Amino acid sequence: MKRRDFVKIGGLGATAIIIEGCNASGKPEKKEILPLVDLNETKVISTWSSGLKANKTAIKILKNNGSALDAIEKGLNVVESDPENTSVGVGGLPDANGNVTLDACIMDHNFNCGSVSYIKNIENPISVARKVMEETPHIMLSGKGAYEFALKNGFSHKNLLTESSKKSWEDWKKENNYKLPAINHENHDTIAMIAMDRKGNMATGCTTSGWAYKMEGRVGDSPIIGSGVYLDNEVGAACATGLGEAIIKICGSHAIVELMRNGVSPQQACKIAVERIKKSNKDLKDLQVGFIAMNKKGEIGSYSLYSGFNYAYQDIQRSKLIDSQYDLDWEN
Ligand code: SD4
């Protein structure tokens, strides 16, 4: 049999095809080919309405057989570079001392992950997180080290404090005497995203400027693998937005993936995580959290503690903003 005589001789369910033939030196060889997932299965979800435009960039990549990892990075870059979003990247609201400090992390289908926390003056921290994942033996770089690593890898220094975010910070100092604003329904829109590519691989990522006017040095859930995001490619992925301190306490995203591993639907898993948040925090006033999840079958779900959380859904035909199910009304 010649090399070109490879023939399809058997299947492994819907996931792989085994072909047999000869290699270049004429030796018998078996090859396993993973067929592409039906284009209709390719999808991406992300938190809040700014997810709509991030998803558009992500789906273009996925449609062209790009990887879920590229879709996550490039999708999140769109929002990081948008000065209108006051919770992410350029234009993100600063800490109490006026420094814009960013957190981000990314995870692929092989449990590879990378993260940056408390990074300043870099427009696209999710891309730095990916470099940490791909170019270093570490998972998380923080502060000055993360910044210097970024510069060495071709990222440029940028002032992220816009005129408008500076003014908001100055007004806050005058009006609130350094009292932290609540993370409630009005003042946060961190983006966290999950994508499934045509190989059936998933990836997830999250990027944020964190809690507006936080104490200098504060880091939230968003760069913490297991809290801000988690993915097991055999099971599914979850990610979070809202009060990081509450999400970290229950390792929110990891908890959801473990629930899905045990057969719980993405929707129900997000709801159970929110119930754990309720149990682990005495004071729920102004404590908004929201989770989104997708399992290996492409089923999706979300749940938030309070009303007002939404997420963006995109597949090859549809783009829509979905109001999340929730536990409590803000009004009550
Ligand atoms: C944090 N989880 O730093 C982030 C904040 C957030 O939309 O999600 N804002 O705690």
Side-chain angles (χ1 to χ4, degrees):
M1 195 161 22
K2 295 204 185 82
R3 243 177 121 208
R4 64 172 182 276
D5 295 333
F6 274 108
V7 287
K8 175 178 162 184
I9 60 160
L12 273 184
T15 51
I17 296 166
I18 302 292
I19 53 175
E20 264 183 19
C22 297
N23 65 16
S25 24
K27 284 200 177 145
E29 189 179 78
K30 277 188 187 176
K31 275 190 183 173
E32 187 181 332
I33 294 202
L34 289 174
L36 293 178
V37 167
D38 185 336
L39 198 50
N40 291 319
E41 298 298 320
T42 299
K43 62 184 69 144
V44 53
I45 54 174
S46 50
T47 53
W48 305 108
S49 57
S50 50
L52 287 169
K53 58 183 174 215
N55 287 356
K56 287 247 174 300
T57 296
I59 202 78
K60 265 190 219 150
I61 293 168
L62 296 170
K63 259 205 263 186
N64 292 323
N65 301 335
S67 70
L69 192 66
D70 284 343
I72 293 289
E73 182 193 354
K74 302 298 175 215
L76 295 182
N77 285 163
V78 173
V79 179
E80 289 177 331
S81 300
D82 176 1
E84 299 299 313
N85 184 311
T86 57
S87 300
V88 182
V90 182
L93 290 170
D95 68 13
N97 297 335
N99 307 302
V100 183
T101 71
L102 307 177
D103 298 334
C105 72
I106 194 159
M107 192 161 184
D108 79 3
H109 63 287
N110 282 323
F111 294 102
N112 296 311
C113 36
S115 156
V116 288
S117 67
Y118 190 68
I119 189 169
K120 294 184 205 165
N121 296 114
I122 297 290
E123 179 168 344
N124 295 120
I126 195 71
S127 300
V128 186
R130 181 170 178 178
K131 282 261 181 249
V132 173
M133 172 174 106
E134 291 175 343
E135 310 287 338
T136 81
H138 306 305
I139 287 182
M140 182 186 266
L141 291 181
S142 193
K144 189 165 166 276
Y147 168 75
E148 281 169 2
F149 170 79
L151 293 188
K152 271 192 206 127
N153 280 279
F155 294 84
S156 23
H157 178 100
K158 180 158 179 156
N159 174 22
L160 306 175
L161 194 66
T162 57
E163 278 310 307
S164 147
S165 56
K166 187 165 178 228
K167 172 149 190 338
S168 303
W169 170 63
E170 280 163 352
D171 291 348
W172 167 78
K173 278 199 296 181
K174 264 187 248 145
E175 290 158 20
N176 291 284
N177 197 21
Y178 284 89
K179 190 174 169 293
L180 270 174
I183 290 207
N184 60 24
H185 60 310
E186 292 170 330
N187 62 2
H188 67 116
D189 44 10
T190 288
I191 182 158
M193 182 185 252
I194 302 168
M196 163 105 65
D197 66 28
R198 292 196 65 203
K199 289 185 176 153
N201 287 330
M202 300 176 79
T204 183
C206 181
T207 181
T208 188
S209 52
W211 192 344
Y213 319 129
K214 60 201 171 186
M215 285 173 68
E216 184 165 5
R218 182 263 185 190
V219 169
D221 60 304
S222 307
I224 298 178
I225 305 297
S227 290
V229 307
Y230 196 69
L231 161 62
D232 179 331
N233 204 52
E234 286 180 4
V235 177
C239 46
T241 177
L243 187 72
E245 282 72 0
I247 296 161
I248 293 170
K249 276 193 202 175
I250 65 149
C251 294
S253 296
H254 184 260
I256 292 169
V257 172
E258 291 311 299
L259 286 159
M260 294 194 294
R261 188 190 307 283
N262 291 320
V264 178
S265 70
Q267 178 64 36
Q268 185 62 14
C270 291
K271 185 167 191 275
I272 293 171
V274 167
E275 279 158 12
R276 285 189 195 162
I277 299 256
K278 282 179 79 180
K279 236 185 7 196
S280 52
N281 290 276
K282 278 202 198 104
D283 187 2
L284 297 179
K285 190 171 167 297
D286 281 335
L287 190 170
Q288 176 64 310
V289 291
F291 293 105
I292 58 173
M294 188 192 295
N295 67 15
K296 198 59 196 156
K297 289 188 248 166
E299 295 165 341
I300 58 169
S302 82
Y303 207 79
S304 56
L305 180 53
Y306 283 95
S307 54
F309 173 51
N310 51 26
Y311 66 105
Y313 171 88
Q314 174 85 58
D315 59 26
I316 57 151
Q317 284 143 356
R318 283 161 300 173
S319 165
K320 55 184 175 176
L321 195 60
I322 302 176
D323 284 330
S324 178
Q325 290 187 22
Y326 58 89
D327 199 274
L328 306 167
D329 269 309
W330 275 113
E331 285 69 42
N332 298 330

